[in-house]
Amino acid sequence: MNKDRPSPPRSASALALMLVLVASSSACGGAASGTSDSDAGTPVSGGKLSFAVATDAGCLDPQQVGSSDTLYALRQTVDSLTDQDPSSGRIVPWLARSWEIGDDARTFTFHLRSGATFSDGRPVDAQAVKKNFDAIPKLGGLAILAQGHLTGYRGTQVIDKSTVKVSFDRPNAQFLQATSTPALGLVSPADTARTPQQRCADGVHGSGPFTVGAYRQNQSLTLKKRTGYGWGSAAWKKKGEAYLDTLDFTVVAESGVRAGSLGSGQVDAIGGVRRQDEAVLRRGEARVVRRANPGVVFNLGFNNARPLTRDARVRQAAQAAINRAEIAAAVFPSGTRPATSVLSRTTPGYADLSKDLAHDRDRAKSLLSAAGWTEGGDGIRRKGGKRLSLTAVSFSNAGAYRSALELVQQQLKDVGIELVIKQLQVTQFPQTIKTGNYDALWGGDLTRADPDALRTLYSTHLVNSYRLPASELDTVLDEQAATTDTAERADLVARAQQLVVRQAYVLPIVDQEALIGVSDRVHDLTLGASGGVRLHDTWKS
């Protein structure tokens, strides 16, 4: 068996599955912009990278973290079974040197490379993989991404020390791509026996090229290079240890302060670049690395169990009231495109629903009138003495786009809907989702280079943050995750998008991009296929 490449699929249906997962290079579209590294010279080892981010999720376990700001750091501490090449979209070897997929996509057999260890010294072997996958379904509410990837999980069989067979009770077309994500990054078997709270508070032992050195919640996270590391992804350029000795991630809430710090050379990279930051970066010795994110777009999602937002006509009126082009041009970084579906254009299976998302104030007003909401003297509609007032919860990790939500607020007011904005800390997210005390959630995007991102967010069989009712959508989402036929899955994914958009379960706003401001002293900092930064190959001159 070839050590460096995955074994070919053993059937036509498995081949179709592979084609779905790596549909085309556009699945990971969005080239980096800014200064090229082609003339940077010979890479050198050593040094520290200072990275400023906007927020901290308050958890040190990659399997339980969904915040991009925190995963920029934690991704460097854990390896995955596979990786997804950002350029081609292909699934390539990492901790697994090869794999086979069962004829019906219910089983996935992985052959592990030898020599990899976790930072506590334990081997990355078949037993470790089994303990990880067995533990994830028990992690609780924070691990919604990882648990969604393992829907229908039956168990993992240890064939021998370096071979595992992962089984599901139904076909699972998305699982191979899922094994490339940090949500399924492997941690030490010792960590799998600890409580979710312990793992968040104390951190975990990954097998990645960096380890956690020091952590101060909501302030900073320091990572140290792991000596002796030698089992990197096939998509990386450098073999062996990373170039950099230290990675310092510091929480700097204000976007302008982050940009100013990069422009003045106080930090080497920043996350959350905003439109007004671009001029600052152009004046300094810095550039913007950007990538169009695949997955679910930036949106305002409704709680469908609340009295006012339970009415589809109210949701559809809000949908028609939104002028996405105006929001994209006024608030988001240059080049940002208005959403034309609930999936971004760079996601496999994307369907253009721009006609359904057309801005139409007259239609919005007509829908509200048909639902019995009459115009009030203050411009806000009323029915039965009650004002049409909705509360939208925004979290601090989406704070950079508060002005976009305020523009949504203005556009909804134009048709008679009041939107009250309530901002919470990102650490309050789990409890907020649990209570359901909101009419809408702002920013519910999910970056993933597979359309199964829809099932993660909108299936009533999973977390169901939007309190959707059981419907045809559940059936369609389950079927797209199970089918191994390329054309059939594409049709199902298109139908799922139609159901989400036409029922106005969420209001798609813009296609999201990952934008990282980078000093010209920093080279080979790249973005992953499903978002996140890749720092193993990064070096400083």
Side-chain angles (χ1 to χ4, degrees):
M1 186 175 294
N2 191 313
K3 292 168 55 180
D4 299 319
R5 298 291 177 192
S7 301
R10 296 183 299 181
S11 70
S13 63
L15 176 59
L17 167 64
M18 293 294 289
L19 292 174
V20 170
L21 293 170
V22 297
S24 68
S25 60
S26 67
C28 307
S33 66
T35 305
S36 169
D37 283 340
S38 58
D39 298 322
T42 303
V44 295
S45 295
K48 177 178 74 174
L49 181 80
S50 299
F51 202 124
V53 296
T55 61
D56 171 28
C59 179
L60 291 175
D61 181 3
Q63 292 181 0
Q64 297 187 76
V65 170
S67 168
S68 295
D69 280 350
T70 301
L71 283 175
Y72 287 155
L74 295 184
R75 186 33 159 163
Q76 318 311 317
T77 68
V78 291
D79 299 324
S80 299
L81 286 173
T82 67
D83 197 7
Q84 189 167 16
D85 188 297
S87 300
S88 67
R90 293 183 60 249
I91 304 299
V92 300
W94 196 344
L95 289 173
R97 57 182 172 81
S98 62
W99 51 84
E100 297 97 40
I101 304 169
D103 289 346
D104 59 358
R106 293 173 186 260
T107 61
F108 298 76
T109 302
F110 296 93
H111 305 275
L112 306 178
R113 62 192 305 166
S114 61
T117 60
F118 296 104
S119 59
D120 63 359
R122 289 176 171 81
V124 180
D125 57 14
Q127 194 63 237
V129 175
K130 174 177 171 58
K131 287 187 176 181
N132 270 262
F133 289 165
D134 285 351
I136 285 173
K138 306 170 188 175
L139 275 178
L142 286 182
I144 56 175
L145 297 180
Q147 290 166 353
H149 297 333
L150 289 175
T151 299
Y153 177 68
R154 237 175 153 174
T156 298
Q157 179 185 1
V158 174
I159 306 299
D160 56 43
K161 187 176 181 180
S162 61
T163 309
V164 292
K165 185 176 184 179
V166 184
S167 299
F168 296 88
D169 62 14
R170 70 201 73 171
N172 194 344
Q174 57 83 42
F175 180 65
L176 183 62
Q177 192 275 337
T179 64
S180 71
T181 66
L184 294 187
L186 300 184
V187 303
S188 169
D191 295 317
T192 64
R194 299 161 68 208
T195 68
Q197 295 77 15
Q198 289 172 329
R199 291 170 57 161
C200 267
D202 301 331
V204 294
H205 300 85
S207 63
F210 291 90
T211 61
V212 173
Y215 174 61
R216 292 182 296 168
Q217 187 170 339
N218 293 323
Q219 296 183 58
S220 63
L221 174 59
T222 299
L223 306 183
K224 298 293 185 180
K225 178 170 72 175
R226 187 173 173 198
T227 58
Y229 181 86
W231 43 86
S233 161
W236 296 353
K237 294 197 296 185
K238 187 181 187 300
K239 305 299 181 184
E241 298 176 5
Y243 286 115
L244 294 164
D245 290 331
T246 305
L247 306 176
D248 275 346
F249 292 83
T250 304
V251 176
V252 180
E254 293 296 326
S255 171
V257 176
R258 293 196 302 275
S261 298
L262 177 58
S264 63
Q266 296 177 63
V267 300
D268 302 307
I270 62 172
V273 175
R274 299 179 64 183
R275 189 180 191 90
Q276 56 265 41
D277 300 331
E278 296 177 25
V280 176
L281 299 185
R282 282 195 296 268
R283 290 195 297 268
E285 295 182 353
R287 66 191 186 280
V288 176
V289 177
R290 65 193 302 162
R291 187 176 195 83
N293 285 344
V296 174
V297 301
F298 206 81
N299 65 71
L300 181 68
F302 290 119
N303 180 344
N304 287 256
R306 301 279 274 193
L308 300 183
T309 48
R310 187 181 294 124
D311 189 335
R313 292 169 296 184
V314 171
R315 303 193 306 267
Q316 291 162 347
Q319 186 89 281
I322 300 300
N323 186 333
R324 293 161 181 81
E326 180 182 33
I327 297 171
V331 177
F332 288 86
S334 58
T336 300
R337 302 176 69 172
T340 51
S341 179
V342 66
L343 288 180
S344 72
R345 295 169 178 83
T346 57
T347 312
Y350 155 81
D352 184 353
L353 299 176
S354 51
K355 291 182 179 179
D356 295 283
L357 295 174
H359 175 224
D360 189 338
R361 290 176 70 247
D362 291 339
R363 179 171 183 267
K365 291 180 177 182
S366 177
L367 283 164
L368 292 175
S369 295
W373 292 96
T374 59
E375 296 184 13
D378 59 355
I380 303 303
R381 290 181 177 247
R382 287 172 167 78
K383 181 168 68 172
K386 186 176 181 65
R387 301 171 82 247
L388 183 47
S389 180
L390 309 177
T391 299
V393 170
S394 172
F395 293 96
S396 54
N397 62 334
Y401 300 121
R402 166 88 181 211
S403 52
L405 182 54
E406 290 170 348
L407 191 47
V408 170
Q409 184 183 48
Q410 293 175 25
Q411 293 175 353
L412 294 182
K413 186 177 180 180
D414 285 344
V415 300
I417 302 173
E418 179 181 55
L419 191 70
V420 178
I421 300 171
K422 181 179 180 181
Q423 182 158 316
L424 302 176
Q425 295 302 308
V426 66
T427 51
Q428 295 174 272
F429 176 78
Q431 184 62 23
T432 303
I433 297 302
K434 182 178 180 180
T435 63
N437 189 25
Y438 49 86
D439 294 310
L441 294 173
W442 173 243
D445 54 320
L446 172 59
T447 299
R448 188 181 173 198
D450 189 279
D452 195 60
L454 291 170
R455 185 171 61 93
T456 300
L457 291 183
Y458 307 123
S459 171
T460 67
H461 302 151
L462 299 176
V463 174
N464 196 14
S465 302
Y466 302 104
R467 308 302 200 267
L468 303 185
S471 69
E472 177 193 355
L473 179 60
D474 286 317
T475 302
V476 173
L477 291 174
D478 287 345
E479 288 179 352
Q480 67 79 30
T483 184
T484 58
D485 181 271
T486 307
E488 182 182 352
R489 191 180 189 211
D491 288 343
L492 290 166
V493 170
R495 178 59 180 157
Q497 291 168 80
Q498 291 171 355
L499 289 169
V500 172
V501 168
R502 291 173 185 174
Q503 284 295 316
Y505 290 139
V506 302
L507 308 184
I509 305 297
V510 296
D511 283 3
Q512 270 287 65
E513 284 193 313
L515 291 99
I516 306 295
V518 183
S519 165
D520 288 343
R521 303 186 306 272
V522 176
H523 312 285
D524 291 328
L525 183 154
T526 58
L527 301 178
S530 290
V533 295
R534 303 161 73 94
L535 299 177
H536 175 270
D537 292 344
T538 305
W539 58 282
K540 289 176 63 177
S541 56

